[in-house]
Every structure is written in structure tokens, then in C-alpha cells.
Amino acid sequence: MKRVKLIAIDLDGTLLGEDGKISEVNQEAIRKRQANGDIVAFCSGRSLHDMKEIAAAANLDVPLICANGSLTSVNDEIIRSQILTSDKLIEIMEKVSEAELYFEVYTNKGVYVQKDKQPILEEEKETLFDTPEEKESAEQIIEIQNMQYGMVEVDDYLEAGVTELEPYKVFVLTFRRQELENLAGALEDREDISVTTSGYQKLDIAHPDASKGDALKGLAEYYQIPRENTVCIGDNYNDISMFQYAGTAVAMQNAEPEVKEYADHMTRSNEENGVGYALNEIIE
């Protein structure tokens, strides 16, 4: 008798194409696994609101592991959450503000962004890049960020009451790589927060127990699925903890070289329906 598998799939650089959508090929492969009794979950650094919209746009009903494991939702019910305390959130916001970097606060009521933070990225784009190609690439990154569902613009984070909205992540985006590395270096050895990245310009700061690996473990326990029957597919550094936990780890062809070292299998790139190929041809 076939044993049910829990398959956790990353979004950006994995399930989503460059257009930010789930292709028909990938959708059909997911539905086929679901029809066969497997549980397919999305596992991303994105917010709960954003992930809900992405799943709905593809007409897929799946558990959601959000914000790198800070929040897990099953059938619209939050079964696991790692919330930042008020003092911790304020301290993190102050450190990022001191570095003069753009950041957002992920909460259970949406992704909050302070209006005076938005010009920071435009200024970086204009001052750090010389060629039209570089500027266009930076603009695409900014546009993708601004296209998130559930964005809430506010004049002031604290006046808007973000500390009371069950905040679960501070997301930093910058093209000033050295400043990002400095910030990450100042935070990485702390045991009271977690720091990870899903891309060259990005930094995620959250609860110390927030990781994709811990969240996948929690979801497996929720469904009473043994570890050896868990599978993950991903491409970036924030997927490594998931690769370390899962019984089977599949890396995208476009994955970071270090991430590939943790993989049991390699599939095609996200632009070549690599998830669909993995679901149909690689995973038993």
C-alpha cells in the first residue's frame, strides 16, 4: 500500500516562474499528487496574505508555511505561529532604521510598510547602478515586492500599532550589499532571533524557532506523517533547514550551489517546470 507523502514546495525560484505565477504544468502535477493521496504544502518566505492569493489564483487548496516557518495555516486555521514580542520587534526595527535600509513588518493583519521607507529603494536604484539593464533589473525586484497582496501603507509603524498585530517577521530589502552583510553579521550570533535570506538583496529576521525545517517538522507531526515520508523542493538558503529535515530533498537546477549540496535529487529549473518534473518523475 502506498504511504502518504507530505511534499513542501518553495515558491520564488522554485514553483513560481519569473512572471510570479504557477504554470499549468506545475498545477496539474500538484493536483495529480493530491488526487493520489499526498499532501502538498507551499513553504515560502512570503506572507500569509500573499501566499493565500497565489494559491487561490491557481485554484489550489494547500497548507501554507509562511514567512520562513513563522506561521503555518491549514484550512484557514493557524496551527503554529512564532510571534515577535513588542520589545524584540522595536529593537529590530531600530537597528534596521539606523542602517537606513528599507524594511517591512509582516503581521497577521497584513504586510506593513512605512511610507518614508519606500523612496529608499528608488534612491538606491538610481545611485548604485549605471546601466539601463542594471536599473531595469533593480526595478523588477522593487516591483515584485510592491505587488505583494496584503500590503498596508502607514505613516508610522508604531503609531499604526504593529506590535499588537501579532508581528512575525521583519523583512529587509536593499541593493547595498555591504550594509546588508553588516546588519546580518551584527545579528547572526544571537539566540533570541533567527536570521536567514531568500535572495542576494534580502534578509529575514524572525522568532528564533522560525525556520522552514521546524515548520515542516510541525506540519508532519500535525498530519502524523513520518519524517522519511516528507519531501521538499527548493532553491535558496532559507530552504536549507527544510532540506536537512526532509526525508527526500530536491534542489532546483537554478538553486544556489550551497543549497544543492544538501539535496538528494536535482530537477529542472523553475522556468522549465522543475517542480512538475520532480513530482511526476523523481519523487516516488
Side-chain angles (χ1 to χ4, degrees):
M1 191 175 95
K2 178 187 179 294
R3 300 185 72 180
V4 171
K5 283 184 166 60
L6 170 59
I7 305 170
I9 307 173
D10 171 55
L11 292 183
D12 294 279
T14 301
L15 182 60
L16 303 182
E18 294 304 315
D19 60 0
K21 297 178 181 178
I22 304 172
S23 70
E24 288 291 338
V25 170
N26 286 341
Q27 287 182 38
E28 287 309 309
I30 289 171
R31 291 191 182 96
K32 184 178 176 181
R33 297 302 301 218
Q34 289 176 321
N36 204 26
D38 291 332
I39 298 165
V40 178
F42 291 172
C43 189
S44 172
R46 289 180 180 244
S47 73
L48 174 62
H49 296 76
D50 203 31
M51 291 181 70
K52 278 184 174 180
E53 289 293 335
I54 290 170
N59 198 26
L60 290 168
D61 185 11
V62 295
L64 304 172
I65 295 175
C66 317
N68 296 319
S70 294
L71 212 67
T72 302
S73 173
V74 178
N75 297 323
D76 279 333
E77 178 188 352
I78 294 172
I79 64 165
R80 181 179 186 273
S81 63
Q82 308 292 337
I83 303 304
L84 288 165
T85 61
S86 296
D87 59 334
K88 201 67 60 190
L89 176 64
I90 291 170
E91 181 198 353
I92 294 167
M93 289 197 301
E94 286 176 349
K95 285 189 179 298
V96 183
S97 294
E98 286 169 11
E100 299 181 343
L101 301 178
Y102 172 91
F103 70 94
E104 300 165 355
V105 179
Y106 284 46
T107 81
N108 279 355
K109 298 298 181 184
V111 177
Y112 280 64
V113 58
Q114 197 166 285
K115 291 176 183 176
D116 66 357
K117 303 298 179 189
Q118 293 169 317
I120 293 175
L121 293 175
E122 288 295 331
E123 185 179 337
E124 288 181 2
K125 182 190 75 174
E126 294 302 323
T127 58
L128 296 177
F129 302 113
D130 299 321
T131 68
E133 291 79 15
E134 288 176 327
K135 289 183 188 293
E136 183 180 350
S137 177
E139 185 60 36
Q140 286 178 342
I141 292 170
I142 295 171
E143 283 182 6
I144 288 171
Q145 201 58 33
N146 291 336
M147 280 166 52
Q148 291 179 93
Y149 295 95
M151 293 281 283
V152 182
E153 289 187 0
V154 295
D155 292 323
D156 183 271
Y157 285 123
L158 295 181
E159 287 181 10
V162 292
T163 59
E164 308 301 319
L165 302 177
E166 297 182 317
Y168 53 86
K169 187 177 89 166
V170 173
F171 170 77
V172 183
L173 179 64
T174 182
F175 301 107
R176 293 158 58 199
R177 180 64 188 177
Q178 190 58 54
E179 292 298 328
L180 195 68
E181 290 182 357
N182 292 345
L183 178 63
L187 298 173
E188 64 184 0
D189 291 331
R190 291 177 51 162
E191 296 181 355
D192 58 339
I193 56 174
S194 66
V195 180
T196 188
T197 180
S198 58
Y200 192 73
Q201 307 88 0
K202 303 171 183 178
L203 198 68
D204 293 335
I205 309 165
H207 189 280
D209 294 332
S211 76
K212 289 189 175 186
D214 281 340
L216 178 56
K217 179 176 183 287
L219 192 59
E221 290 171 351
Y222 176 85
Y223 284 113
Q224 297 182 314
I225 293 176
R227 182 175 183 175
E228 60 266 25
N229 281 15
T230 60
V231 181
C232 69
I233 309 174
D235 75 305
N236 221 305
Y237 297 106
N238 59 338
D239 296 317
I240 289 176
S241 64
M242 185 166 68
F243 277 43
Q244 290 173 316
Y245 173 79
T248 303
V250 181
M252 305 298 291
Q253 188 274 325
N254 54 284
E256 294 290 340
E258 186 179 339
V259 177
K260 291 179 180 178
E261 294 176 11
Y262 292 88
D264 302 301
H265 303 280
M266 195 83 62
T267 187
R268 297 169 178 170
S269 75
N270 64 319
E271 286 299 295
E272 298 171 302
N273 300 306
V275 167
Y277 183 79
L279 295 179
N280 290 329
E281 306 294 338
I282 296 176
I283 302 163
E284 292 181 4

